[in-house]
Amino acid sequence: MDVLWKAGSVTVSGMFELWAAIPVGFMLQLPPVLIGIFSAVGAIISAGAVIFVGGSLRNWLLKRVENRSKRQGRMWQIWDKYGVVGLGLASPLLTGAPLGAAIGISLGAPTKKLMLWMSVGIIIWSALLTAGVAFGLLQFMVPETK
């Protein structure tokens, strides 16, 4: 039961922010593999919710950004240069999965393709960030000497 509570905490944290879920998992002392899996699952759930509820969200976002220039910001540059693939791979790290999904929807990205590339980006960044934290923590752990 304790592992389920910890896994749920990491998943919910991942739904809000991938960067937050990984340290939460380490603080709860979950194994790194489970941390990577549950943080990715949470981020994928939130991205999917935004993507598949995206029609009304897209209209709302377009009304809010109508007056702004469409060529500002890093995500706009990534979109112009790399399209859905670049947005999906970069946004989990740069903006977070839910906001990246919202940006993709607002730009008119096809939902299935956006979901695929957001999921791939989330999995890659979850694995890299989890491994980075795990190996970083190993540097601070001193082996016991007798």
Side-chain angles (χ1 to χ4, degrees):
M1 189 66 165
D2 191 43
V3 172
L4 289 177
W5 177 82
K6 291 177 181 180
S9 297
V10 173
T11 303
V12 169
S13 297
M15 290 174 74
F16 292 105
E17 183 59 58
L18 184 62
W19 284 90
I22 294 167
V24 167
F26 279 99
M27 287 188 305
L28 295 174
Q29 298 179 341
L30 278 174
V33 171
L34 292 180
I35 294 169
I37 290 170
F38 291 120
S39 62
V41 166
I44 289 170
I45 289 170
S46 66
V50 170
I51 289 169
F52 293 114
V53 179
S56 58
L57 178 65
R58 180 178 190 267
N59 294 333
W60 179 79
L61 282 171
L62 286 175
K63 287 178 187 176
R64 294 204 44 142
V65 294
E66 274 180 330
N67 298 334
R68 296 181 186 170
S69 169
K70 287 191 172 186
R71 303 291 179 222
Q72 54 180 309
R74 182 169 300 235
M75 294 312 295
W76 296 105
Q77 293 170 357
I78 290 171
W79 176 258
D80 283 340
K81 192 168 184 175
Y82 303 107
V84 176
V85 175
L87 181 72
L89 294 176
S91 65
L93 181 69
L94 298 177
T95 64
L99 183 56
I103 291 169
I105 290 297
S106 72
L107 294 170
T111 55
K112 289 180 183 179
K113 191 173 181 182
L114 181 61
M115 186 66 198
L116 170 71
W117 287 106
M118 287 292 296
S119 297
V120 170
I122 289 166
I123 291 167
I124 289 170
W125 287 115
S126 293
L128 290 173
L129 293 171
T130 302
V133 172
F135 290 127
L137 288 176
L138 287 176
Q139 298 299 317
F140 294 106
M141 294 181 177
V142 179
E144 285 187 31
T145 56
K146 292 186 179 185

